Amino acid sequence: FNGINLGTRSNVERMALGIGRSFQHPYLIEQMTIRENILAGHAHRSQQRLQTVIRELGLSRWVDRRVDELPYGWRKIVDLARAIVRDTRLLLCDEPFSGLDASGRAEMRDVLSRLQSQGMSLVIIEHDIARVRSLVDRFVVLDFGQKVFDGDPDQAMADEATSMALRGIV
């Protein structure tokens, strides 16, 4: 990342470099508010940055509610908020559309698109190919851990080996 080998870096060092991570299943503290969850471990962050993240991700109406009151899709967005409150430049997303209904997938897609438009780079691991295709300019397709394609999303869909790897996922 920016010429730095991340293989030897701790998670704290990676965060300091501007790398954030969201999880397939958000690990949030159920009895805490959205605000408290976003700031957990980051209390030194400015209130201005917190308010910016809350506004950017559409969390204003939820911010003082407890996490256990939120629908699952909004919990995933709180997890994203926690990952980007550190002035993240690269966000690693593990299956952001997993477990979401149609409206949740649309909201997640809009949130990720807004982050991209603000200059954030995304690495998305996902099985919902249609959603990812609309967000990315490059596909890397793995089949049982082996890279079978690296390139343009439209070419990925036309590539025979890639299509075989994606069969059953699409």
Side-chain angles (χ1 to χ4, degrees):
F1 179 68
N2 290 334
I4 299 170
N5 180 349
L6 298 176
T8 61
R9 304 293 175 149
S10 70
N11 287 338
V12 172
E13 290 173 310
R14 291 175 189 167
M15 288 187 312
L17 292 169
I19 300 172
R21 174 163 194 246
S22 70
F23 295 88
Q24 178 178 356
H25 303 289
Y27 298 102
L28 303 172
I29 303 168
E30 299 282 320
Q31 295 75 28
M32 290 173 60
T33 67
I34 302 327
R35 180 186 320 274
E36 292 166 336
N37 266 276
I38 294 170
L39 287 176
H42 307 288
H44 64 284
R45 293 295 173 203
S46 74
Q47 287 300 310
Q48 181 179 356
R49 176 67 184 153
L50 173 66
Q51 293 309 316
T52 299
V53 168
I54 288 169
R55 187 180 59 257
E56 287 173 353
L57 299 189
L59 291 167
S60 298
R61 66 182 173 170
W62 303 103
V63 73
D64 292 315
R65 294 178 70 179
R66 286 175 27 154
V67 168
D68 59 5
E69 298 174 24
L70 291 179
Y72 185 70
W74 285 102
R75 291 176 189 218
K76 291 188 85 150
I77 292 173
V78 171
D79 187 46
L80 285 178
R82 193 167 51 185
I84 68 168
V85 77
R86 304 180 278 268
D87 300 319
T88 300
R89 295 187 323 252
L90 172 64
L91 179 60
L92 310 174
C93 301
D94 185 11
E95 299 198 34
F97 300 106
S98 170
L100 300 179
D101 62 14
S103 66
R105 288 190 304 269
E107 182 65 34
M108 180 62 73
R109 192 224 170 275
D110 290 347
V111 165
L112 293 173
S113 183
R114 282 195 305 271
L115 294 175
Q116 275 186 312
S117 70
Q118 296 166 5
M120 187 176 298
S121 296
L122 304 175
V123 173
I124 303 172
I125 298 169
E126 181 60 67
H127 291 110
D128 189 338
I129 303 305
R131 299 274 180 246
V132 174
R133 188 175 182 188
S134 68
L135 285 168
V136 301
D137 55 8
R138 179 176 166 211
F139 259 15
V140 176
V141 179
L142 303 176
D143 187 21
F144 292 99
Q146 300 299 311
K147 184 167 44 171
V148 296
F149 184 86
D150 184 348
D152 180 80
D154 292 330
Q155 291 174 343
M157 301 312 287
D159 182 79
E160 186 175 338
T162 303
S163 294
M164 288 174 50
L166 295 175
R167 197 170 298 143
I169 297 174
V170 177

